[in-house]
Amino acid sequence: MIASDYFNGEPFAGTRLPRRHSAEVRVPVRPTPNLLHRYANPGQFLRLARALLPWLSSGAILFLTIGVIWGLFIAPADWQQGDTVRIMYVHVPMAWLASSCYLGLAVCAVLSLVWRHPLADLAAIEIGPVGACAAALCLITGSLWGEPMWGTWWVWDARLTSMLVLFFLYLGHIALIRAFDEPARGQRAAAILALAGVIDLPIIKFSVQWWNTLHQPDSITLTGAPTMSMMMLWPLLICTIGFTLGVAAVIFTRLSAAIHESRARQMMARSRLDRRDSQVA
Amino acid sequence: MMHLPNHWQYIAVSYALTLGCSLVLGVGAALRLRKSKARLAAVEGHARRRERSAS
Amino acid sequence: MTRKTRRLWIVIACVACVGSAAALTLRAFSSNIVFFMAPSQVKANPPSPDRTIRLGGMVMAGSLHRINENGTPVNAFEVTDGQAAVEVHYTGILPDLFREGQSVVALGTVQKDGGFTASEVLAKHDETYMPKEVADELKRTGKWDPRFGKAPDASSWDTMTAKKAGG
């Protein structure tokens, strides 16, 4: 199967195009790899991750340091919420990351279901817990913001409920993808769940416009001017970039580790087979 | 204008939780990558040695 | 059609089906998802006094009366959506953000006389985030009174406060 020889050390040298001078180089058995396969090939991915990781992680640290200091100490207090508005600088990035990680899961689901891409399944396993963390943090910081400002930890309005549904979708995905002895079956089931759950994303986004909610409408929209002072918008933007870079770095690192682990497992399994063969002989 | 009390506890807990979780995730991922690299290297070295002794 | 293309179409069809099913369900249930009722809705068809509802709207300017009865604050204020107003009675401490002109959501029952007895009052702030200094300046110069409506556009704050500082 294609999937298995992806993870072995050498065989994906076969996916490279034959070099000019060596006529006897074996042409890949598979049909010529398309762009998708070339860039999502684990070896290519490891190289990409190794090149990007230092930039991602140092960028995340830089942006988060500036953003958190700006948000906590320099940005002005809101005229009615006072200093409590500073929770926004962590709450909004978490909401954004929870949604975008789920979108990532859905993209992985399509790649896995349609193109049977092995890297997509590994990525789905690694993105899930990170997104679940973001969703949980979004709910918790929202609760910590709601109690002093609205006067309640939790209400069952459309925005809060749909966000809670997203958190449960993450939990379901995490459980489902690990639920079967045969990994491929769990990955298939989890991919279907991820795709079905995508419907929750527009519901979260537009819940504050479609229904009366306690949660206020979005301050930043694609169409209109932000209803927020620039003095607050800048630190929010910087914090969002910082957290996004950080999550990208974490996912890249986890995925690299997963590829290494999978290769090591495969080599172990093969050497065990070899040993059995030699014993039989 | 009414005076708003400063809800610093809520702010502190929010930031501590978010940054703490990010730190745990980041450090955990880095350690896991290091461990998996070392393990793969060990397994590969073992396989090479066996191959050499077999030939 | 290759296997991959067929799988792609199956996935697209499934997503479309689930999506439209969810959209239709949400449309059908949209009245139940509504978190609160507006005063005009309450006035038009008043719910029975034994039903607990949420009433949402703006606290009318100048309508708030607070009295202290044996240490517990008793509040009376009117909630409006611009078309109708409902008088709300609430015994207890109001949230910090409560003020005239603020949006609130009150949980309670409609009395026979049309008044509303709340057991819980939540403040609903809007999506405008404005530095305190800007708000003070706008209020001081009389360009905006928070009791009577939404804050002006964020893009105009600079010029509105700068003009005053210059002149």
Side-chain angles (χ1 to χ4, degrees), chain C residues 121-137:
Chain C
V121 173
L122 305 177
K124 172 177 159 57
H125 62 81
D126 64 8
E127 70 276 26
T128 311
Y129 295 91
M130 185 191 283
K132 199 173 173 322
E133 297 75 35
V134 174
D136 289 345
E137 184 65 22

Side-chain angles (χ1 to χ4, degrees), chain A residues 58 98 104 125 133 169 186-188 199 215 271 281:
Chain A
S58 51
I125 295 175
C133 266
L169 283 173
Q187 285 156 1
R188 179 90 50 92
I199 188 67
H215 194 287
S271 72

Side-chain angles (χ1 to χ4, degrees), chain A residues 39 44-54 56-57 119 123 126-127 130 244-260, chain B residues 29-30 32-33 36:
Chain A
Y39 283 99
Q44 296 271 17
F45 174 80
L46 283 183
R47 239 161 297 158
L48 183 75
R50 209 172 300 143
L52 279 182
L53 268 176
L56 288 177
S57 37
L119 196 60
E126 300 306 330
I127 293 173
V130 179
T244 309
L245 289 176
V247 159
V250 166
I251 289 173
F252 272 46
T253 312
R254 289 174 66 112
L255 192 46
S256 303
I259 293 172
H260 285 132
Chain B
R32 187 178 148 201
L33 179 61
S36 69

